[in-house]
Amino acid sequence: MYDLMIIGSGPAGISAALTAKARNLNFIWFGSRALSTKIEKAEKIMNYPGLPAVTGSEMQSVFLKQIDDCGITITESQVNSIYDCGGYFAAGADNEIYEAKAVIMTVGMTTTREIEGEARLLGCGVSYCATCDGALYKNKDIAVICASPKFEDEVTFLAGLANHIYLFTPYKETTLQYDNITHFNGLPASVDGDKKVASVTFKGEAIPVSGAFFLKDSINPGVLLSGLDMAGGHIIVDRTQKTNIDGVYAAGDCTGRPYQYAKAVGEGNVAVHSVLDYLKKHKDN
């Protein structure tokens, strides 16, 4: 079991990982070596101390060099769920379970809107993980809501299992050419069903399906971890970055404005120091 799991590789996650490494914590860090699209796409950053008028790609290179120089590994798996197990936490990522005594969520802001019924039917036909849950829908009809072409490998995987896939994308063109995939340009209005997924509604038409897979970069934190207090799409934290769940902390854009790198880095550092205090108080538990 790890002391800490950090979820997200934006500036807050980077700061948390560097501080955790400096304080010799046994931790796992989930994210991507691409770090964050917010950094990658930044044209010019004018107010980050020590890096005047830096581009996003230049900042990304500096961050990656520091991460590598410190010997920190980024586990490139997407966390699809976090469970409070009473005294420790379990995270599901790419069909594996990871356990830690504390969690820091640096998950940024969710850019894709949640569809009606998505959160309500999570675990009852709604899934965020093709490899985890795909086998449950072998020879069945399913809906797949794919936010980006980079997730199309997962659609291909599902196409090898399902009877038929109704694929919904916000982008027009797809390279997927399978007899059992029907592609719609646009997103469903809702996922429908009482106790389990029964259909998705698209342009007023109900399409019967047994399950709905959402393939996207980020998941609403309140869906990721049940019981997490949210307000206006942000995780509620105090000055120590503590959430309402003991042992869970949050930092960066997911905690609210201003959405700035310097703010995120500071919160990531504070969160790790709060984790250190938490682990000290619970070391005998």
Side-chain angles (χ1 to χ4, degrees):
M1 182 182 295
Y2 295 96
D3 292 326
L4 169 66
M5 64 174 73
I6 301 166
I7 302 169
S9 52
I14 295 165
S15 175
L18 290 170
T19 305
K21 180 70 173 182
R23 297 304 298 264
N24 295 315
L25 285 175
N26 176 27
F27 70 98
I28 185 168
W29 180 21
F30 293 99
S32 167
R33 284 188 61 82
L35 300 184
S36 84
T37 54
K38 181 180 176 180
I39 296 176
E40 185 182 9
K41 294 179 179 179
E43 182 177 353
K44 191 75 70 174
I45 301 156
M46 304 298 294
N47 64 342
Y48 193 86
L51 294 175
V54 67
T55 67
S57 60
E58 289 168 342
M59 176 176 272
Q60 185 182 51
S61 296
V62 171
F63 282 159
L64 279 172
K65 184 178 186 304
Q66 188 172 9
I67 290 162
D68 291 340
D69 287 349
C70 290
I72 299 173
T73 299
I74 303 174
T75 300
E76 297 193 87
S77 298
Q78 182 170 337
V79 174
N80 298 294
S81 54
I82 307 169
Y83 303 98
D84 183 352
C85 300
Y88 73 96
F89 300 89
D94 291 352
N95 218 23
E96 298 287 340
I97 298 295
Y98 301 85
E99 296 179 348
K101 299 173 185 175
V103 176
I104 298 177
M105 301 178 72
T106 65
V107 294
M109 282 297 294
T110 304
T111 55
T112 51
R113 67 179 178 85
E114 191 173 289
I115 291 172
E116 182 183 342
E118 176 184 343
R120 180 176 61 83
L121 292 168
L122 179 63
C124 300
V126 168
S127 175
Y128 295 111
C129 182
T131 55
C132 305
D133 298 328
L136 299 174
Y137 299 91
K138 190 171 183 178
N139 299 323
K140 296 182 179 180
D141 294 347
I142 59 174
V144 178
I145 297 86
C146 183
S148 167
K150 69 182 178 181
F151 297 116
E152 289 187 352
D153 283 347
E154 295 184 56
V155 181
T156 298
F157 170 75
L158 289 169
L161 295 169
N163 176 62
H164 197 87
I165 289 176
Y166 298 97
L167 175 65
F168 301 90
T169 68
Y171 52 93
K172 290 184 179 180
E173 301 296 329
T174 175
T175 59
L176 297 170
Q177 299 293 329
Y178 294 93
D179 291 339
N180 66 336
I181 293 180
T182 301
H183 178 224
F184 299 95
N185 179 217
L187 301 179
S190 62
V191 183
D192 310 305
D194 293 328
K195 295 183 178 179
K196 61 181 181 179
V197 171
S199 63
V200 293
T201 298
F202 182 70
K203 294 185 177 180
E205 179 185 353
I207 302 172
V209 292
S210 297
F213 286 81
F214 288 80
L215 308 178
K216 53 187 179 179
D217 283 308
S218 57
I219 301 169
N220 184 302
V223 173
L224 199 61
L225 176 56
S226 179
L228 192 65
D229 278 355
M230 305 279 295
H234 300 120
I235 303 172
I236 299 173
V237 295
D238 64 14
R239 289 281 294 171
T240 70
Q241 306 307 130
K242 183 182 183 301
T243 71
N244 65 301
I245 299 174
D246 204 26
V248 178
Y249 302 81
D253 287 358
C254 63
T255 67
R257 296 180 183 276
Y259 303 141
Q260 293 189 349
Y261 303 110
K263 175 257 193 186
V265 166
E267 289 189 349
N269 178 273
V270 171
V272 175
H273 284 278
S274 298
V275 166
L276 289 166
D277 289 340
Y278 171 82
L279 293 174
K280 185 177 179 180
K281 291 175 183 176
H282 295 80
K283 65 180 179 179
D284 295 326
N285 293 349

